[in-house]
Amino acid sequence: MKKLFYLIFTGLIYVTVQAQDVEQPQNETAKDKIKAARIGLITQRLDLTPEQAEKFWPIYNEFTQKRTELMKQYKDAEKNVNPNNPDPKQQQALVDLGLKVKQDELTLEKDYSGRLMGVITAQQMLNLRQAERDFRNIIINMLNNRRLQQQRKENFRDRNMRLRERKK
């Protein structure tokens, strides 16, 4: 059963990653598929009861949203730093913001861990953290594989173009 789940899960992620090359409206569908796969993995790993799931997901989704907002705050500030014209004050401000965001993220995790522990067991909490790491690694591996496939296609095209030019 687990092998079947992972096979379906991997297929879903593969399709999702492939769909990201398409226009924006379908990108939203890709994001939805990734989110659904994440939910599926977490649900399976935590083995939530229906009562736990009803209480768990609103808290977890709120936590995820706030964590994403914290990271966005840093990424937005990072975009404002010009790498070609380094300003030491601006760079120091970015370092300070990075530390503040990490501290805020830790505070957020402590708060939401306490709230989640009121719904799930300590073992399920450990499983949640592992599931999040595993999901992130799966996505990274799939993106890396996609990148490698794209490079192979480009290398193949380049080689074919060189061969065509030699024949002329």
Side-chain angles (χ1 to χ4, degrees):
M1 183 68 176
K2 282 186 179 182
K3 288 182 181 179
L4 178 62
F5 174 78
Y6 287 121
L7 181 63
I8 292 170
F9 177 75
T10 303
L12 179 64
I13 296 298
Y14 179 77
V15 168
T16 301
V17 169
Q18 293 298 322
Q20 290 181 357
D21 278 343
V22 191
E23 299 172 13
Q24 181 63 25
Q26 291 184 350
N27 275 346
E28 293 304 317
T29 303
K31 287 180 184 180
D32 291 342
K33 288 180 181 179
I34 290 174
K35 185 177 179 181
R38 184 177 193 210
I39 289 169
L41 179 68
I42 290 172
T43 299
Q44 186 265 335
R45 293 281 182 89
L46 268 59
D47 195 26
L48 296 171
T49 66
E51 295 81 23
Q52 285 178 316
E54 185 179 331
K55 295 175 184 174
F56 170 82
W57 286 110
I59 297 169
Y60 183 77
N61 290 336
E62 184 179 327
F63 166 67
T64 303
Q65 180 184 0
K66 288 186 179 184
R67 183 171 54 183
T68 301
E69 289 170 7
L70 279 174
M71 297 310 292
K72 185 180 181 320
Q73 178 185 2
Y74 179 77
K75 287 181 181 187
D76 288 346
E78 193 175 39
K79 289 177 186 175
N80 292 328
V81 174
N82 185 352
N84 298 327
N85 187 13
D87 176 12
K89 288 182 182 180
Q90 198 175 30
Q91 291 174 331
Q92 183 62 48
L94 186 61
V95 168
D96 293 343
L97 179 63
L99 293 172
K100 181 187 177 308
V101 166
K102 284 183 181 184
Q103 184 62 50
D104 290 349
E105 188 176 9
L106 179 61
T107 302
L108 186 71
E109 188 170 343
K110 284 181 181 179
D111 177 45
Y112 278 89
S113 290
R115 290 176 60 189
L116 287 169
M117 290 292 291
V119 176
I120 60 176
T121 66
Q123 182 60 54
Q124 286 173 312
M125 187 62 148
L126 294 172
N127 293 348
L128 172 63
R129 290 183 178 153
Q130 186 62 46
E132 287 177 327
R133 280 191 297 273
D134 290 349
F135 185 79
R136 188 171 32 258
N137 289 336
I138 288 168
I139 296 295
I140 289 170
N141 287 336
M142 294 190 88
L143 289 173
N144 286 338
N145 288 339
R146 181 173 173 234
R147 222 174 272 129
L148 284 173
Q149 286 178 342
Q150 187 66 30
Q151 286 176 343
R152 287 180 188 142
K153 285 180 184 177
E154 289 172 8
N155 290 342
F156 183 73
R157 259 184 296 194
D158 290 346
R159 191 183 89 212
N160 283 343
M161 287 176 63
R162 284 192 304 267
L163 288 173
R164 286 181 191 149
E165 288 176 5
R166 287 182 189 168
K167 288 180 181 181
K168 290 181 181 181

